[in-house]
Amino acid sequence: MSSEGSPEAARPSNFIRDIILADLAAGKNDGRVHTRFPPEPNGYLHIGHAKSICLNFGLAREFNGKCNLRFDDTNPSKEETEFVNSIMEDVRWMGFQWDALFYASDYFDQLYAWAVQLIKSGNAYVCDLTSEQVRATRGTTTEPGTPSPFRNRTIEENLDLFGRMRAGEFPDGARTLRTKIDMTSPNFNMRDPVMYRILHAHHHRTGDKWCIYPMYDYTHGESDSIEGITHSICTLEFEDHRPLYDWYVENLGIHHPQQIEFDRLNVTNTLLSKRKLLLLVQKGLVSGWDDPRMPTLSGLRRRGYTPEALRTFCANVGVSKTNGVIELGLLEHFLREDLNKRALRAMAVLDPLKVVITNYPADLTEHMEAVNNPADESAGTRSVPFSQVIYIENDDFREVPPKKYYRLSPGTEVRLRYAYFITCQAVIKNDAGEIVEIHCTYDPASRGGNSPDGRKVKSTIHWVSAAHGVEIEARLYDQLLLETTGDESADSDFTSQLNPQSLVIPPKAIAEPSVATAAPGTKYQFERVGYFTVDPDSTPEKPVFNRTVQLRDTWAKIDKALTT
RNA sequence: UCCCUGGUCGUCUAAUGGUAGGACAGCGGCCUUUGACGCCGUGAACAGUGGUUCGAAUCCAUUCCGGGGAGCCA
């Protein structure tokens, strides 16, 4: 098992793995395990797909099997090459490589031949009903449908008509090829489902070769079958389609993969509808599919999420058939856990408050040694310039400190991380009464952060030297949605529920100089502030950082409890 | 109303006829040159009712509640 030793190896079992284990024990499929990840290239992959990717590729890896990437491209009106490319990039980024790459459109000729075969065996017919008429004759949940008047056309007539459909003799929607199954079935999918529809549309791969296109239900099982898939894993909404999936492969007499349905991933406060994500992009409400606020894999990547964190998350959310909603906090937990191990530490001040150290020489610069990652000694140390005027975080000073406030306030002493102890001596205000700077004194004996007399301070705060710091653009992200919305309230105007504060850029953020030239994608923990990653927009003149996730903040909880 | 499907701590998930466990979140504490990380502790669940059984979260019946289903979308 190649996944042994990786963090996700400790995952609990799940019903799909149990099915595979049982199949293996029974000698089914000659001991093969072959899965596939089958997205339609009509949008960008999102975190919901990550679960499916991890499941399909992960199972194949675990059982020394194979996993294909297959594009389910049977509806040319929605599909584009841009999406194909982004999907391949995202799957690789997630850390997986497909054993084979296919497109459902690879099978159009075979599918056509099989359709002819079904016509010849009396199992399919050309129907002239309009889509409205088909709907009207399909029946209801309690009443059976009524047979199409074209249901008993002769095989010869069906063959002729189907050939002419393919030849382009009829306009869109004029006819369909339908499977002759059972108009009285309680399962609508079995009431003579459409196999082919006429669509004079340009396909991103087959161009104008076809003007009839197979439906998903007619295509999926056969595609699985052709590829020798053993376990065809899909989401719960396809449960009702399984009898039809089985019907096609049985009646065609071809290899019969087993369709298994699992619960789609839902995350609190997160939009996971391709339609709505598309809308956000089209309306310009986000900067694109890779906007760091988007739950797309490309958005999460730009935001600073790591594939390792996503994989661990997917391995731990479980696979079942319950319609659950995972708390976003769980994702953030695994994210922080991973980032804590890999992110370089640095100091940055988002909302600066000027501090003058009155007894420190005005012309002196010292270089303080700071560790790059306490969780990884091999990351080494760096030197951080220190001088008389520094900036600290506005939040780290309170003129009137509340109870349990450990940070700087008049008369108190705190430690500047890796530098000195300082004591607040004076608060300088402008005419409006606003604090503009504070004056402190430092203890020269405390260089590096410890006093020889063993004196303790209650707090350590971060800082940036005013003379050496670099201005940065810190993009602070928050949830895109104001509050949990029933994602399913189909056409409710979710755009009115967008959080106007989902992106905030503090105007005067400043960071220690070491971060200025980092390459896009570099991960930092700005100590006591949060995890950040360098954005592709970044330049040495104006470094840009995306806040990936905040640090856990116990004080914020105490403070909130105190004020309420 | 009909078909499919599912209900275990706040959330997600284990236990497959034999001690209801874990993770996240919460709460309390310890540690700390990040109020981070880490560590320790703690509260918290088998939807209801009957039945089968020495024994039921698990099997049966029934009720209640949730999700999906009538595209020429996937």
Side-chain angles (χ1 to χ4, degrees), chain A residues 129-137:
Chain A
L129 259 24
T130 63
S131 55
E132 293 73 24
Q133 290 170 319
V134 169
R135 191 186 325 128
T137 54

Side-chain angles (χ1 to χ4, degrees), chain A residues 347-400:
Chain A
M347 291 194 285
V349 174
L350 266 24
D351 182 16
L353 172 61
K354 185 177 176 184
V355 174
V356 179
I357 302 166
T358 52
N359 60 337
Y360 191 87
D363 54 356
L364 181 62
T365 294
E366 288 185 272
H367 293 275
M368 305 302 187
E369 185 178 47
V371 327
N372 286 329
N373 187 349
D376 176 12
E377 206 179 315
S378 71
T381 62
R382 68 188 186 285
S383 84
V384 185
F386 181 83
S387 61
Q388 186 190 35
V389 180
I390 60 170
Y391 290 111
I392 66 168
E393 207 72 64
N394 226 313
D395 271 353
D396 287 339
F397 177 78
R398 293 277 256 269
E399 188 172 19
V400 182

Side-chain angles (χ1 to χ4, degrees), chain A residues 393-430:
Chain A
E393 207 72 64
N394 226 313
D395 271 353
D396 287 339
F397 177 78
R398 293 277 256 269
E399 188 172 19
V400 182
K403 225 184 300 175
K404 293 197 175 175
Y405 187 83
Y406 301 155
R407 283 111 98 143
L408 200 61
S409 57
T412 65
E413 183 174 52
V414 300
R415 171 168 38 233
L416 294 176
R417 178 94 157 139
Y418 298 125
Y420 290 104
F421 284 6
I422 58 169
T423 303
C424 175
Q425 307 292 358
V427 180
I428 314 300
K429 297 181 181 176
N430 61 16

Side-chain angles (χ1 to χ4, degrees), chain A residues 20 342 490:
Chain A
I20 293 177
R342 68 177 72 244

Side-chain angles (χ1 to χ4, degrees), chain A residues 28-47:
Chain A
K28 209 173 155 187
N29 301 308
D30 306 318
R32 285 188 312 117
V33 173
H34 201 333
T35 58
R36 99 269 93 111
F37 173 62
E40 183 189 14
N42 67 344
Y44 278 62
L45 259 24
H46 55 61
I47 187 164

